[in-house]
Amino acid sequence: MSSTLAGWLQALALVGALALCYRPLGDYIAKLLTTAKHLKVERGLYKVIGVDGDADQRWPSYLRSVLAFSAVSVVFLYAFLRLQDKLMLSLGFKGMAPHSAWNTAISFVTNTNWQDYGGESTLGHLVQMAGLAVQNFVSAAVGIAVVATLIRGFTRSKTDRVGNFWVDLTRIVLRLLLPLSIVFALVLVANGAIENLHGFHQVTTLAGDTQSIPGGPVASQEAIKELGTNGGGFFNANSAHPFENPTGFTNWLEIFLLLVISFSLPRTFGKMVGDHRQGYAIVSVMGLFWVASSAALTFFETHPAGVALKAAGGAMEGKEVRFGLWASSLFASSTTLTSTGAVDAAHDSLTPGGGGVTIFDMMLGEIAPGGTGSGLYGMLILAIVAVFVAGLMVGRTPEYLGKKLGGREMKFASLYILTTPAIVLIGAGVAIALPGERAQMLNSGAHGFSEILYAFTSAANNNGSAFGGLTVNTPWYDTALGLAMVLGRFLPMVFVLALAGSLAQQQPVPATPGTLPTHKPLFVGLLSGVVLIVVGLTYFPALALGPLAEGLH
């Protein structure tokens, strides 16, 4: 079978599997977010933490709960990392340096999972399991909980209540993420991923040298790493490591896992607002961008410039031979369009066009389909902007799902859109202006600028993948990228929750002949244009200095 045919079959199988899961998984998530019934174990947890499971919160209280939970998580994980050498299963590793521990704690709590260290040479098993893996679950659940409040803003009227954070968090972890992770961890183990509590085994190689082979609870973390769009690898090589991703099938499965929840959430949205056509419109836009990104990246990697690369049949530098160009390109596109950040190839070795696609994917706000929850609320914010633009064209007050979009709502939407680009561009600009931080680039010129631009784009958008080449394990980069992660995660959440509260207080207005239909192809095209123009072109000057300049050169 040719690599081209195999690539097409992988992509088609992936589309088919996602389509099969769209309805049942989306409906299930909608049910767990709306049902009034609590499981016995959930009621027990509510009693322990002192929460009334039947009491909803106003949006400021919901926001305080999100921030308080996240702050406590950062403190706990920071202490865990610093005191690692005092804990069991440390494998003899020392505690992390303060700046690295700060960066890592922030990274995993914000669902970014940026890593400035090699997992197998830095962290023991207990910290990996009880520290990082726990945050893989709860950080993903926080994103879904926040988008649930925005959907409730559309479905509720004349109320200041948007849900209960502690109920949402508990249900998402116990009823969604944990069961799926157990099932897929077993699938990964059955296909060669390791799962043990071994330390390092000394083995003799064929050449007569000795080598240390690490073990660890890998498969259990690999499942939630992808399902929760986390991306932090147990090993430094991430999903390019054979212990994390041993075969072509597991590579396909990991791509499926990092996409499935985010692509199913539009169905949840349609179910909760009582109109499945709204969900189809949103998922259509997500699908269009995902297909376009995957096709463009695959084209650039299979049709590289240069005589040597053309003779080789593609740009295989930095890619696993067992996966090949097509699977590596599909993985790279999918991981940067979500907030996953897992990689099965070195993005620094991508062609200028391919590297530019991965950066642009993240610059879109990772909305196609985006992270668990964060992708959908990002797309809904852009849908609100699209409706507002349409209202300006026809001279009427914009409405979306029966809610009027006035000055208050548009301020929240505008602030959401402007926040992340400001963080990315200011951070990259400061880094490139400082001689010491500029010296951390492995490459000079346009490619070196792309390394810095990629780092801040990845951090601010809570992606976590690295372009490579840039030395970031320094106090300045750890601090700056940590701040980018915090601001890029929680400032947008403030605006989303405030918008949810504003919408929930409104009285729905009936649709009229002049109301813009937001479920038809016209709206799909309008929303796609807004994504490209309002979001994508914001970064065009920076892209022109990086991957575009490198490609032209």
Side-chain angles (χ1 to χ4, degrees), residues 478-490:
D478 277 338
T479 303
L481 292 173
L483 289 173
M485 295 176 210
V486 170
L487 297 175
R489 175 71 165 179
F490 295 113

Side-chain angles (χ1 to χ4, degrees), residues 202-430:
Q202 299 294 326
V203 299
T204 302
T205 66
L206 294 175
D209 297 323
T210 59
Q211 183 176 350
S212 295
I213 305 297
V218 176
S220 56
Q221 293 192 47
E222 196 71 16
I224 186 57
K225 156 189 158 181
E226 310 296 0
L227 269 173
T229 61
N230 294 284
F234 194 95
F235 300 102
N236 190 42
N238 208 282
S239 288
H241 198 291
F243 289 177
E244 288 193 31
N245 190 4
T247 68
F249 169 72
T250 59
N251 190 70
W252 178 92
L253 180 64
E254 290 189 14
I255 300 173
F256 167 78
L257 292 179
L258 64 90
L259 292 170
V260 65
I261 292 179
S262 296
F263 261 129
S264 298
L265 281 173
R267 172 72 182 191
T268 302
F269 168 63
K271 183 80 171 180
M272 290 178 68
V273 300
D275 186 354
H276 292 304
R277 299 174 301 176
Q278 303 295 334
Y280 290 132
I282 295 298
V283 80
S284 295
V285 178
M286 291 178 170
L288 285 173
F289 280 99
W290 177 69
V291 169
S293 169
S294 301
L297 205 153
T298 302
F299 175 82
F300 286 126
E301 297 307 302
T302 55
H303 296 78
V307 176
L309 294 180
K310 289 181 179 178
M316 277 299 295
E317 179 188 327
K319 298 180 179 67
E320 281 288 305
V321 176
R322 57 201 167 103
F323 301 145
L325 288 169
W326 282 71
S328 299
S329 299
L330 187 61
F331 200 115
S333 175
S334 299
T335 198
T336 50
L337 278 172
T338 60
S339 65
T340 309
V343 294
D344 72 349
H347 288 192
D348 198 31
S349 295
L350 295 174
T351 62
V357 169
T358 60
I359 298 174
F360 187 70
D361 286 347
M362 294 184 291
M363 288 175 169
L364 289 177
E366 295 172 320
I367 53 173
T372 50
S374 60
L376 180 57
Y377 66 64
M379 184 61 83
L380 291 178
I381 293 290
L382 288 167
I384 287 172
V385 174
V387 172
F388 178 74
V389 170
L392 292 178
M393 291 179 179
V394 298
R396 60 172 285 138
T397 302
E399 303 163 9
Y400 188 42
L401 301 178
K403 297 298 179 75
K404 287 188 175 294
L405 304 176
R408 178 181 174 83
E409 290 75 23
M410 293 314 302
K411 287 176 183 176
F412 292 139
S414 299
L415 288 170
Y416 178 97
I417 291 173
L418 293 172
T419 296
T420 306
I423 297 169
V424 172
L425 298 176
I426 292 173
V430 171

Side-chain angles (χ1 to χ4, degrees), residues 31-79:
K31 182 178 179 181
L32 75 86
L33 290 174
T34 55
T35 182
K37 296 181 179 179
H38 305 289
L39 300 181
K40 188 175 181 180
V41 64
E42 294 170 351
R43 290 188 180 278
L45 288 173
Y46 300 153
K47 288 182 180 180
V48 170
I49 60 179
V51 170
D52 181 358
D54 297 316
D56 278 358
Q57 298 171 301
R58 298 172 59 248
W59 79 261
S61 299
Y62 201 103
L63 175 62
R64 286 194 294 270
S65 298
V66 171
L67 297 178
F69 177 75
S70 300
V72 170
S73 297
V74 169
V75 172
F76 174 81
L77 186 53
Y78 178 85

Side-chain angles (χ1 to χ4, degrees), residues 478-552:
D478 277 338
T479 303
L481 292 173
L483 289 173
M485 295 176 210
V486 170
L487 297 175
R489 175 71 165 179
F490 295 113
L491 277 181
M493 283 187 175
V494 172
F495 304 132
V496 170
L497 291 171
L499 178 60
S502 179
L503 293 173
Q505 291 177 340
Q506 292 187 27
Q507 172 70 31
V509 296
T512 66
T515 301
L516 173 68
T518 54
H519 60 275
K520 294 185 176 181
L522 176 64
F523 182 72
V524 171
L526 176 63
L527 179 53
S528 300
V530 166
V531 170
L532 286 174
I533 296 171
V534 176
V535 182
L537 292 185
T538 303
Y539 295 97
F540 184 78
L543 290 170
L545 293 173
L548 294 179
E550 183 185 2
L552 291 173

